[in-house]
Amino acid sequence: MYVAVKGGEAAIANAHRLLADRRRGDRALPAIGIGQIVAQLGLAVDRVMAEASLYDRSLAALAIRQARGDLIEAIFILRAYRTTLPRFGYSRPIDTGAMLVERRVSATYKDLPGGQLLGPTFDYTHRLLDPSLLGDEAVEALPEREDTGEPLMRVSDILAGEGLVEEDGGLPEGHVAGDLTREPLEFPMPRDLRLQALARGDEGFLLALGYSTQRGYARSHPFVGEIRIGMVEVELELPELGFAVPLGRIQVTECQMVNQFKGSAKTPPQFTRGYGLVFGQGERKAMAMSLVDRALRAEEFGEDVVAPAQDEEFVISHSDNVQATGFVEHLKLPHYVDFQAELDLVRRMRRDYEAAQNTDLPEAAE
Amino acid sequence: MNTANLATYNFAYLDEQTKRMIRRAILKAIAIPGYQVPFASREMPMPYGWGTGGVQVTAAILGPDDVLKVIDQGADDTTNAVSIRAFFQKVASVAVTTRTGEATIIQTRHRIPEEKLKPGQTLVYQVPIPEPLRFLEPRETETRKMHALEEYGLMHVKLYEDIARNGHIATTYAYPVKVEGRYVMDPSPTPKFDNPKMHRSEALQLFGAGREKRIYAVPPHTEVVSLDFEDHPFEIQSFENPCALCGAENVYLDEVVLDDKGGRMFVCSDTDHCEQRCASGHRGSLAYDGEIVR
Amino acid sequence: MTIDTLVFTGGFREPVFQSQSVFRTLMDCMARPGTIGRIAPAVLPPPPLGAMAGAVALMLCDQDTPVWLTPGLAGSALPAWLAFHAGAPVTDDRQTARFAFIEKAALLPSLSLFAQGTQDYPDRSTTIVVEIEAVEGGRPFRLTGPGIRDEAIVAPRGLPDLFAQMWSENRRAFPCGVDLVLTAGEEIACLPRTTVVHPLEA
């Protein structure tokens, strides 16, 4: 006598109740507020905004809380929300040259107009656990840096002034920037779509790929021309009005990597560039992105494609962590029908094998 | 905080522009049977790999008069089937059923129902890897060329190598088929037992691969032939004993382990088929004689 | 009626459900060539385009789908109607058109002038919506191919005399080629590129 299991619905409902319970945790502690996450876990919020391609700190913080701090899960939640939003239009390209800069460093020059601005960085902190953070010790409040209104010259502009670095990536006349969240993917990709994919790509994956280029898998002799973090204006062109309307400011991190020079009989030797741009403060991601961008331009510069980071189809097909986590984790769904098919075949092959062994035995004895 | 309209979603979740885009892809897929139409798959509120392609296809075709059935591994009560069914009940208030015969749309993962499908029914498959040549050639740019040139030699070589090594074709599920003599197609990871049901089916068969962004189709009454060789013809799995619950023969069975002493039984993977048979008095060797609960 | 009312009225009253039911009818006809679908179009495009063709346009076209129109339609209020209700751009390049609309009694251009798709992407071809006089009562054709059990007999009235020849050329380009949607009144029928059309004696 056998009674099969039923009750998927009840099991799921109970699992979700349990999830809510564990998410809340110890009821003796106050619940964490969205504002607290935005203010005190800001870099987690920034990563979620960047990889979800949605600039909204509160919603990103909500997603982080809902995901119990699992950032890929939070990115997924925010993306699923983003996909339902209507599209009003496409903003004009942001001008990072006009950025209100909070941090700006260059590795290629000791000093430069506007200077090196360290900003709120972990760099040069000693990574010693800080007992003062166990409690709520008062932290000195700092005044905001004054907006001098003076734009900070970009390092790439300094090099471009001498013609020593290639031009800012241009697009062909009439090219409308693509959007891979609205169009099917097709290889090879134009660089605009590739950069979009990288900007949404998993930080860890890009970090590993960027690292691999430094270890000789498509080495590109990179120098950090400049990293800048700050606020930029977003503007929308309204055809009815005939001019652009400012929508507000967003924080972005831009990395311009200056790489080994190229030249030919026709073009004089000049440095090449890799580019990284992400929402919020995401320096590691922007740097890794710029290394991978440069590696993916191999064919453009007539370099041999020999390393994973240079392989566009490989990189872009596997850089999206929402896709990757879904497909890896789907292996835990029931597969017993397929498994049964394999089980049946293996048993059959075992029988054939054993039968063959048995018929072989007398010969072996001879 | 921008939360005013967080909870308002369109009928069947997708916005109308997305539905139009998917509908256009479906029409082209029907017009070119077995060809994988690229589409701009959307992020869905369930993970990639968990049926987002099938869910998008279902959402694009679903209307208020439809009756939806969702199965996973042939069963209506597997957790992911329950979850997808609940999703459509929530976002489309659609009528649902477990009865194959009553459904107008059946979304499935890994099985084709045992009951013969009827005209007017649409079977929507969830597809993880739509490209039948993917495991022979990982590059999309290459496999696209192979389909364009109808260059399927690699697939035959692979199947033949199986025979040389094992004496059998060692593909037991996701067994490649040729559609209407032109495109080699992945039937999704259904056991090859189900392949013959695709051939000249009365139902429209739609395939959605969300993560891989492809939609393809087999219209009704369309030739679907499993690849094979003259000296090694295509064969489906057969089972020694009938279903232990309902006694059905010539159906696909799941193996259920009963104890730690090697005890096991085989029962229908298609839970609706089994229930229907039990309800009409069929009994297998281990049938429970009280009320049938599955 | 003023041009403005022609342009700003006549869309789906309930776009979500009405376009869904038009789609299901069309999908069923595309999947089963020879089947005649019947449904209230629920839209009112500016003349000379008929209601059913207008319903197909609003159901499938938007800013992503350049639409080609016959001179008769391009000169009507239809481009503005499509722009207002669907956001669909009109193109005079048949090779980039995702959809084309031919009103009743207008000349059906050679099918090979429209986008055919490529061997790599045969789906990138034009879907042509042709208004005919009636789905019945014309010269009979026998249809075979995917979606058809054995054969289907149809007799659309209002197709060009040389239609069977035009179609067999289209058929030969498979997997490339155009797909046809025929509309008349509240009726609709489809010819996907896979369908083989055999002329019969009337």
Side-chain angles (χ1 to χ4, degrees):
Chain A
M1 186 181 78
Y2 170 77
V3 181
V5 189
K6 197 175 171 126
E9 277 169 61
I12 290 173
N14 284 334
H16 293 171
R17 283 173 49 217
L18 209 50
L19 169 65
D21 173 78
R22 296 296 191 270
R23 175 164 47 216
R24 179 59 183 86
D26 185 351
R27 307 297 198 275
L29 296 171
I32 188 167
I34 299 304
Q36 288 174 301
I37 297 173
V38 171
Q40 297 173 48
L41 296 175
L43 297 190
V45 169
D46 285 358
R47 181 177 172 193
V48 170
M49 293 199 307
E51 292 174 30
S53 311
L54 183 71
Y55 194 94
D56 188 318
R57 288 211 155 86
S58 298
L59 292 183
L62 171 61
I64 291 170
R65 185 177 170 198
Q66 192 177 330
R68 303 178 66 192
D70 178 338
L71 295 191
I72 292 184
E73 179 70 20
I75 290 162
F76 178 19
I77 294 170
L78 202 55
R79 285 232 199 134
Y81 174 67
R82 176 192 189 274
T83 200
T84 65
L85 298 174
R87 199 64 55 108
F88 296 121
Y90 291 85
S91 73
R92 291 168 52 132
I94 55 171
D95 180 4
T96 52
M99 178 186 284
L100 175 57
V101 171
E102 186 173 34
R103 167 169 167 79
R104 185 265 211 123
V105 290
S106 169
T108 52
Y109 293 99
K110 181 172 185 193
D111 198 7
L112 62 167
Q116 309 262 15
L117 297 170
L118 288 184
T121 179
F122 292 121
D123 297 350
Y124 321 113
T125 62
H126 299 135
R127 271 65 170 199
L128 305 170
L129 281 172
D130 180 359
S132 75
L133 292 173
L134 285 170
D136 186 15
E137 274 185 35
V139 177
E140 177 197 3
L142 295 179
E144 295 233 343
R145 206 171 73 88
E146 256 178 62
D147 180 3
T148 58
E150 284 289 301
L152 236 52
M153 188 177 198
R154 298 196 302 183
V155 170
S156 54
D157 298 332
I158 300 173
L159 282 167
E162 284 184 77
L164 294 180
V165 72
E166 60 164 326
E167 295 280 310
D168 244 333
L171 290 168
E173 187 83 21
H175 180 92
V176 180
D179 182 352
L180 53 79
T181 68
R182 312 299 284 184
E183 300 149 23
L185 223 62
E186 191 187 316
F187 296 109
M189 279 182 154
R191 191 170 170 214
D192 54 335
L193 281 177
R194 209 158 65 198
L195 287 169
Q196 186 190 10
L198 296 178
R200 289 160 64 82
D202 182 68
E203 178 173 315
F205 180 72
L206 296 185
L207 179 66
L209 282 174
Y211 177 44
S212 75
T213 68
Q214 292 179 281
R215 291 195 63 263
Y217 291 85
R219 191 164 173 228
S220 63
H221 305 270
F223 296 94
V224 170
E226 184 180 44
I227 293 164
R228 52 170 61 199
I229 304 175
M231 305 298 289
V232 292
E233 196 97 55
V234 179
E235 295 178 322
L236 186 69
E237 195 108 42
L238 291 178
E240 295 87 345
L241 296 179
F243 56 86
V245 184
L247 298 179
R249 282 178 163 180
I250 60 170
Q251 187 190 35
V252 295
T253 303
E254 181 185 59
C255 174
Q256 297 245 25
M257 204 63 88
V258 176
N259 302 79
Q260 191 165 48
F261 43 86
K262 286 281 156 192
S264 66
K266 284 187 197 140
T267 45
Q270 55 181 4
F271 291 106
T272 57
R273 296 202 225 186
Y275 188 73
L277 181 79
V278 294
F279 280 155
Q281 181 171 350
E283 195 164 298
R284 183 188 301 121
K285 168 73 181 283
M287 292 177 75
M289 175 176 170
S290 63
L291 288 173
V292 177
D293 171 51
R294 176 59 188 81
L296 288 175
R297 298 178 67 199
E299 278 187 45
E300 194 185 322
F301 294 121
E303 299 162 348
D304 292 334
V305 174
V306 291
Q310 295 171 306
D311 184 332
E312 178 185 80
E313 203 173 325
F314 175 79
V315 172
I316 304 298
S317 301
H318 302 111
S319 61
D320 189 301
N321 53 26
V322 177
Q323 289 176 9
T325 198
F327 201 49
V328 167
E329 293 196 48
H330 108 284
L331 290 172
K332 65 194 168 194
L333 291 180
H335 281 80
Y336 55 79
V337 161
D338 304 347
F339 187 68
Q340 190 62 50
E342 297 281 77
L343 207 54
D344 173 70
L345 179 69
V346 171
R347 280 183 182 140
R348 213 140 54 91
M349 285 163 61
R350 277 291 278 270
R351 278 197 300 271
D352 293 352
Y353 174 83
E354 274 152 23
Q357 292 279 307
N358 288 338
T359 49
D360 285 349
L361 274 180
E363 286 169 27
E366 273 173 22
Chain B
M1 185 170 165
N2 172 24
T3 50
N5 57 353
L6 269 182
T8 56
Y9 293 108
N10 194 18
F11 174 81
Y13 180 77
L14 298 176
D15 59 281
E16 290 302 298
Q17 191 187 345
T18 300
K19 286 185 197 167
R20 274 193 298 275
M21 179 269 296
I22 295 173
R23 287 169 181 168
R24 294 192 294 259
I26 290 172
L27 293 177
K28 287 297 177 196
I30 292 171
I32 318 166
Y35 165 75
Q36 303 160 49
V37 180
F39 82 112
S41 176
R42 298 291 193 250
E43 245 111 20
M44 298 299 286
M46 63 254 317
Y48 283 116
W50 297 50
T52 56
V55 168
Q56 287 181 79
V57 169
T58 298
I61 67 174
L62 190 72
D65 302 331
D66 276 307
V67 180
L68 179 69
K69 172 180 165 83
V70 184
I71 50 173
D72 186 339
Q73 315 294 300
D76 298 272
D77 60 355
T78 33
T79 39
N80 204 41
V82 169
S83 168
I84 290 173
R85 190 166 56 235
F87 174 72
F88 281 111
Q89 283 176 290
K90 185 170 171 185
V91 298
S93 314
V94 70
V96 297
T97 183
T98 58
R99 298 280 181 92
T100 299
E102 288 174 4
T104 55
I105 298 172
I106 302 169
Q107 180 168 329
T108 180
R109 178 169 170 263
H110 294 196
R111 277 309 311 277
I112 300 176
E114 305 292 0
E115 187 178 327
K116 199 166 177 283
L117 298 180
K118 297 179 297 194
Q121 289 185 309
T122 302
L123 185 59
V124 178
Y125 295 76
Q126 300 171 201
V127 183
I129 302 276
E131 179 49 71
L133 306 167
R134 183 59 69 235
F135 300 109
L136 308 172
E137 169 52 65
R139 280 171 200 285
E140 159 73 12
T141 35
E142 292 300 316
T143 53
R144 184 159 292 280
K145 258 183 246 158
M146 292 158 89
H147 284 292
L149 301 171
E150 215 175 337
E151 179 50 65
Y152 294 127
L154 208 56
M155 181 64 91
H156 282 100
V157 169
K158 191 261 169 198
L159 294 176
Y160 210 84
E161 278 174 0
D162 275 4
I163 296 170
R165 196 172 305 127
N166 308 313
H168 306 280
I169 292 176
T171 303
T172 56
Y173 62 93
Y175 190 103
V177 295
K178 196 164 203 180
V179 181
E180 205 60 26
R182 178 57 180 83
Y183 284 101
V184 167
M185 185 186 94
D186 182 298
S188 86
T190 49
K192 64 179 181 175
F193 179 89
D194 285 337
N195 276 20
K197 296 177 190 162
M198 306 178 79
H199 180 60
R200 300 201 181 288
S201 170
E202 297 269 7
L204 169 63
Q205 302 173 77
L206 300 176
F207 299 78
R211 194 177 36 75
E212 299 280 338
K213 303 177 171 56
R214 297 288 184 272
I215 286 173
Y216 51 104
V218 176
H221 311 294
T222 297
E223 189 176 273
V224 179
V225 179
S226 303
L227 300 184
D228 65 355
F229 299 93
E230 258 174 40
D231 49 347
H232 281 91
F234 173 77
E235 278 176 0
I236 61 170
Q237 290 97 340
S238 57
F239 295 85
E240 279 168 28
N241 295 307
C243 170
L245 292 178
C246 76
E249 293 182 14
N250 305 318
V251 295
Y252 195 81
L253 302 178
D254 293 334
E255 180 170 339
V256 179
V257 177
L258 295 173
D259 53 39
D260 58 1
K261 299 176 189 70
R264 57 198 62 211
M265 66 187 286
F266 287 85
V267 298
C268 285
S269 117
D270 183 336
T271 49
D272 173 58
H273 187 70
C274 200
E275 279 171 28
Q276 301 288 324
R277 284 179 52 86
C278 289
S280 56
H282 295 280
R283 286 290 180 276
S285 56
L286 290 168
Y288 173 58
D289 268 330
E291 191 186 349
I292 299 296
V293 189
R294 275 203 65 153
Chain C
M1 210 186 269
T2 68
I3 288 289
D4 277 2
T5 35
L6 281 178
V7 168
F8 299 130
T9 62
F12 286 120
R13 262 177 220 287
E14 287 183 76
V16 173
F17 298 107
Q18 289 171 333
S19 58
Q20 188 274 339
S21 61
V22 173
F23 172 70
R24 280 295 281 279
T25 307
L26 181 65
M27 179 178 87
D28 195 44
C29 293
M30 193 63 89
R32 296 174 173 80
T35 303
I36 290 166
R38 286 182 183 79
I39 183 164
V43 308
L44 193 65
L49 192 72
M52 196 70 224
V56 172
L58 294 196
M59 185 268 286
L60 288 175
C61 300
D62 55 31
Q63 51 270 45
D64 296 332
T65 60
V67 172
W68 183 86
L69 302 175
T70 60
L73 293 175
S76 73
L78 185 63
W81 188 77
L82 283 176
F84 180 76
H85 293 283
V90 170
T91 176
D92 50 13
D93 178 8
R94 279 179 275 227
Q95 289 293 325
T96 56
R98 296 285 306 275
F99 291 91
F101 290 85
I102 321 281
E103 79 275 29
K104 192 155 63 181
L107 181 75
L108 175 63
S110 168
L111 301 179
S112 62
L113 294 175
F114 291 95
Q116 303 288 301
T118 61
Q119 292 291 329
D120 279 2
Y121 294 97
D123 56 303
R124 295 182 181 170
S125 67
T126 312
T127 300
I128 309 178
V129 180
V130 184
E131 284 192 281
I132 54 175
E133 286 165 38
V135 291
E136 288 159 326
R139 187 168 170 210
F141 297 112
R142 186 167 66 87
L143 309 181
T144 57
I148 303 167
R149 186 202 291 273
D150 299 308
E151 59 173 38
I153 308 290
V154 293
R157 188 145 52 87
L159 282 174
D161 292 343
L162 290 176
F163 179 73
Q165 200 178 324
M166 290 170 84
W167 189 252
S168 78
E169 275 167 29
N170 186 61
R171 179 74 190 76
R172 264 200 298 279
F174 189 84
C176 296
V178 301
D179 307 304
L180 285 195
V181 177
L182 307 178
T183 65
E186 301 204 335
E187 290 170 325
I188 197 164
C190 293
L191 281 180
R193 65 194 80 179
T194 47
T195 304
V196 184
V197 169
H198 316 261
L200 294 173
E201 288 309 309

